[in-house]
Amino acid sequence: MIDLYYWTTPNGHKITIFLEEAGVPYSIKPINISKGEQFDPAFLKISPNNRIPALVDHAPASGDGPISVFESGAILLYLAEKTGQFIASDLRGRVEVLQWLFWQMGNLGPMAGQNHHFVHYAPEKFPYATDRYLNETNRLYAVLDRRLADRRYLAGDAYTIADMASYPWVLPERQSQNIDDFPNVKRWKAEIAARPATIRAYEKGRAVNTTAVVTKQSMKVLFGQTAGTAAPSIAASSRRRGKR
């Protein structure tokens, strides 16, 4: 059994999509990030970066006791290797999957996340920042569209963890993008949305939470983090050093 520490964000959806596709038994452990549950000491032992998702596999292949994994890309890779599913077995195919998985982790996710922040949540509007991330999101949609021009999925004909990683982050209405400008992305997005496992994954999410993750009350919890909130012991140590 796998315990999935989860909330209803794009990174959380990546993992439920995989688990539903692979038919792996799992239990959802909700971590309400709007209420600061990601700072609970027990959760920080599993996810030291105080972010969801994270998981604990109680039956790893090594057979030497539970193993915990944090970071959504690492989780997808761990699950793909554990199950032998949704990643190519040959070297070239594996490289195709991994480079697009890391493209999402290093580009689409962070840039779209900043898009969301400055467009939807920033209490003050900064045109330069807004335009910066809207334009970068637009560029990344174009990269994705070109990639999908001559192949069904990001790594070729097979659906892989690279697609599962990127799909939840392509939110054109939320990201101020016109999906009709990217016909290959539109086709790919619709196909994945119609997969039974995707439908089940999002239904599981709705059973956990149907309210907005970010509210006026939760903004300080989500966006006001410092060394003190993420790691109180580090802040305390810094204060002690400052008194010397």
Side-chain angles (χ1 to χ4, degrees), residues 4-9 13 16 26-33 35 37 52 200-211 213:
L4 173 62
Y5 294 82
Y6 162 93
W7 200 243
T8 49
T9 71
H13 296 319
T16 51
Y26 68 102
S27 174
I28 289 178
K29 307 295 184 182
I31 301 293
N32 189 331
I33 60 175
K35 295 182 177 179
E37 293 177 3
I52 62 91
R200 292 195 302 271
Y202 280 81
E203 286 175 347
K204 290 274 182 80
R206 285 189 289 273
V208 170
N209 174 53
T210 57
T211 61
V213 170

Side-chain angles (χ1 to χ4, degrees), residues 136-175:
E136 184 61 6
T137 303
N138 187 259
R139 184 189 72 81
L140 292 167
Y141 272 50
V143 171
L144 188 59
D145 199 66
R146 288 194 299 271
R147 177 66 180 175
L148 293 167
D150 59 354
R151 50 182 57 80
R152 185 177 181 185
Y153 297 112
L154 281 169
D157 291 331
Y159 182 55
T160 71
I161 56 174
D163 302 286
M164 297 177 196
S166 290
Y167 169 81
W169 277 104
V170 176
L171 300 167
E173 297 83 3
R174 183 170 179 75
Q175 295 159 358

Side-chain angles (χ1 to χ4, degrees), residues 104-233:
Q104 187 282 315
M105 294 294 296
N107 291 273
L108 181 61
M111 295 300 104
Q114 294 297 333
N115 176 322
H116 298 168
H117 180 82
F118 285 103
V119 171
H120 298 287
Y121 307 128
E124 299 177 54
K125 298 305 177 186
F126 299 97
Y128 177 85
T130 301
D131 291 345
R132 165 79 175 94
Y133 292 111
L134 286 175
N135 291 340
E136 184 61 6
T137 303
N138 187 259
R139 184 189 72 81
L140 292 167
Y141 272 50
V143 171
L144 188 59
D145 199 66
R146 288 194 299 271
R147 177 66 180 175
L148 293 167
D150 59 354
R151 50 182 57 80
R152 185 177 181 185
Y153 297 112
L154 281 169
D157 291 331
Y159 182 55
T160 71
I161 56 174
D163 302 286
M164 297 177 196
S166 290
Y167 169 81
W169 277 104
V170 176
L171 300 167
E173 297 83 3
R174 183 170 179 75
Q175 295 159 358
S176 303
Q177 306 297 319
N178 182 0
I179 194 65
D180 291 329
D181 292 340
F182 307 98
N184 302 309
V185 175
K186 184 177 182 179
R187 180 266 306 164
W188 168 88
K189 177 82 171 170
E191 182 173 343
I192 296 174
R195 294 177 71 93
T198 305
I199 294 169
R200 292 195 302 271
Y202 280 81
E203 286 175 347
K204 290 274 182 80
R206 285 189 289 273
V208 170
N209 174 53
T210 57
T211 61
V213 170
V214 181
T215 64
K216 289 183 178 180
Q217 290 74 26
S218 69
M219 285 182 68
K220 186 174 182 180
V221 172
L222 294 168
F223 305 137
Q225 298 171 13
T226 66
T229 54
S233 60

